[in-house]
Amino acid sequence: MVIMMSSLATLAILAAIQKSGVMFVSVGVIGAVVYVFRHARMRDRVIAIVAAALGGSIGAEIVHTLYQHIAAVESGAGRESGEFFMAAMLVGLFNAAAIVVVIFSAEAWLNYAGRKSQ
């Protein structure tokens, strides 16, 4: 649990450095799901992490797009083609992939260390 939360904190710091609200929301939702599903099976955790990452990033991009539309803020080209939403999906998938790799690595290491100590 400590390893997962520290990797989420690293992703949150990276999101703050890049000033990416979509990434920050995605990491926050993943953190909440990791905490809620901490005693669940590995398969259920992975599914929940991927769903949370995609849902968080797309939800954040929807809010950002609505804000731009309501506030009549000038935006760059690509809003009509869906580039922003594709980028948000990729951010969510990258965040989910990073956390899933950390989870599998930590689980493999704990199994290896437990087997070695016996």
Side-chain angles (χ1 to χ4, degrees), residues 11-21 23 91:
L11 284 175
I13 291 169
L14 182 63
I17 290 172
Q18 293 180 352
K19 297 178 182 169
S20 173
M23 185 175 180
V91 166

Side-chain angles (χ1 to χ4, degrees), residues 29-52:
V29 173
I30 291 172
V33 165
V34 165
Y35 181 74
V36 169
F37 283 82
R38 66 185 177 274
H39 297 299
R41 294 182 303 194
M42 180 68 72
R43 181 191 65 169
D44 296 337
R45 274 192 275 170
V46 169
I47 291 170
I49 288 170
V50 171

